[in-house]
Amino acid sequence: MPRALITGVTGQDGSYLAEFLLNKGYEVHGAARRTSLPGTFRLSEIFAGPLADRFHLHRADMGDGGSLTRILREVEPHEIYNLAAQSHVGVSFEVPEQTSDTTGTGPLRLLEALRTICPESRFYQASSSEMFGSAPAPQNETSPLRPCSPYGCAKAMGHCLTGIYRAQGIFAVSGILFNHESPRRGETFVTRKITKAVASIAAGRARHVNLGNLDACRDWGHAADYVEAMWMMLQRDDPEDFVVGTGEPHSVREFCDRAFSRAGLNWQDHVRFDADLIRPIEVSLLLADPSKARETLGWKHTVGFEELVALMVDADLELQAD
């Protein structure tokens, strides 16, 4: 039975990947840092499901190399998926050092532990489209890295380190994922902030939502599609990096329009511009050129923009009803 270790398993991507691998017959080990409040709600279906005996949760921290070393010795994983990060771009301007340590130096600690303990393991690094920043769109695997945030810089560090360890003989790859959402998205991210507000307004519990740059365009897909691409990258004979996205740009304004329309509302009646939500450096367009993933991996997204927005709104409407 193949064994996989997922750091950041309690996050959106980690929970979808854990479910995907369990259904593939894996024994899955998840690493998550300890918090004062339980943060495992995204894993509730796994804990309550028939595959729970093949899922194991460990406590570790990307800032603590000793804890990462301990887990690798205990688990001896065949595959390692590094999804742990301080992953909010806006927050990275407020806590740049913590973002750099967790998101940038964290992969170094994990890769060095892998090199020492289990060099035959295959390693996946969750890179990000935010590394491209101001680079011309569409962006692919050869586009220049021009990050415009501490988060983007930290992701670029982890991305480059992955390439360095690959050059030393480690099977290490980076998936350069563009924005991917789901009903499990954190509530402070703009897409989930919008859909949660739609549900609250539709239920009469709120009247407005404050947003920043409505003209920012992103390439949005569904997280469940993207974790399959992660797995595909580690099944190949040769390690390579891949851009993963839909190749379709949509603005925050469009997202608002579709989300509020789903609940029979006019977004212009409920969205307020808040200048305090504008980032110190704005990135106007991130757009994937996923042709390599389509041609080499045989991967393609299955959930389009309209369906994604509808899924997220419907899920938040259901939560409000509860």
Side-chain angles (χ1 to χ4, degrees):
M1 183 182 298
R3 289 185 304 280
L5 172 66
I6 305 171
T7 67
V9 72
T10 58
Q12 170 190 251
D13 293 6
S15 64
Y16 280 113
L17 180 59
E19 291 172 354
F20 177 86
L21 294 177
L22 287 169
N23 287 324
K24 285 284 186 183
Y26 280 64
E27 177 183 306
V28 177
H29 294 259
R33 63 185 177 86
R34 187 187 180 281
T35 56
S36 58
L37 295 174
T40 58
F41 61 93
R42 293 184 180 94
L43 303 173
S44 57
E45 292 187 16
I46 292 177
F47 289 135
L51 305 180
D53 61 330
R54 285 197 275 113
F55 179 78
H56 310 275
L57 186 63
H58 305 259
R59 294 300 177 187
D61 195 298
M62 296 302 290
D64 182 355
S67 66
L68 301 176
T69 297
R70 171 181 52 77
I71 287 178
L72 291 188
R73 290 191 188 281
E74 291 176 1
V75 176
E76 298 181 343
H78 301 106
E79 298 173 3
I80 300 169
Y81 297 85
N82 182 36
L83 310 186
Q86 190 301 100
S87 58
H88 197 287
V89 176
V91 171
S92 76
F93 285 98
E94 301 172 4
V95 289
E97 291 185 29
Q98 191 270 341
T99 300
S100 176
D101 186 59
T102 300
T103 309
T105 309
L108 174 60
R109 297 185 181 103
L110 188 53
L111 280 162
E112 189 60 17
L114 180 160
R115 184 187 66 81
T116 304
I117 297 166
C118 50
E120 299 304 314
S121 298
R122 297 190 168 201
F123 178 85
Y124 171 87
Q125 167 65 14
S127 291
S128 167
S129 60
E130 289 290 337
M131 301 187 306
F132 295 127
S134 61
Q139 294 102 2
N140 61 26
E141 293 80 5
T142 63
S143 295
L145 304 184
R146 297 176 183 170
C148 294
S149 66
Y151 170 76
C153 288
K155 278 295 185 182
M157 178 179 175
H159 178 76
C160 292
L161 284 166
T162 300
I164 290 170
Y165 278 79
R166 178 167 63 234
Q168 298 179 68
I170 300 295
F171 193 108
V173 304
S174 288
I176 308 171
L177 272 57
F178 281 65
N179 294 63
H180 45 289
E181 319 297 320
S182 75
R184 300 180 190 177
R185 191 53 143 157
E187 295 179 2
T188 59
F189 291 84
V190 67
T191 52
R192 185 71 194 289
K193 181 179 180 180
I194 292 168
T195 61
K196 189 171 182 287
V198 167
S200 296
I201 293 167
R205 296 188 174 97
R207 294 185 61 188
H208 301 98
V209 59
N210 291 346
L211 298 175
N213 184 7
L214 297 180
D215 296 318
C217 285
R218 294 294 184 266
D219 183 332
W220 278 303
H222 195 296
D225 283 342
Y226 288 37
V227 299
E228 181 178 17
M230 299 176 188
W231 175 79
M232 285 178 163
M233 292 178 209
L234 293 192
Q235 310 315 306
R236 303 184 69 249
D237 293 334
D238 300 310
E240 292 184 63
D241 300 336
F242 289 89
V243 159
V244 180
T246 69
E248 302 173 6
H250 297 278
S251 68
V252 175
R253 191 185 308 274
E254 287 180 77
F255 198 101
C256 286
D257 180 51
R258 303 298 190 279
F260 278 89
S261 295
R262 182 71 178 177
L265 300 169
N266 183 344
W267 72 272
Q268 293 173 311
D269 295 334
H270 304 285
V271 173
R272 289 177 170 174
F273 172 73
D274 186 345
D276 290 338
L277 297 176
I278 297 293
R279 294 172 183 167
I281 304 175
E282 283 285 338
V283 175
S284 59
L285 173 62
L286 293 173
L287 174 63
D289 171 9
S291 54
K292 181 182 176 183
R294 289 171 180 164
E295 295 164 7
T296 305
L297 293 178
W299 176 89
K300 62 180 181 179
H301 71 283
T302 65
V303 179
F305 178 72
E306 300 279 352
E307 184 181 358
L308 172 64
V309 177
L311 285 170
M312 293 180 67
V313 171
D314 291 351
D316 275 324
L317 288 170
E318 185 175 344
L319 285 175
Q320 279 289 337
D322 294 341

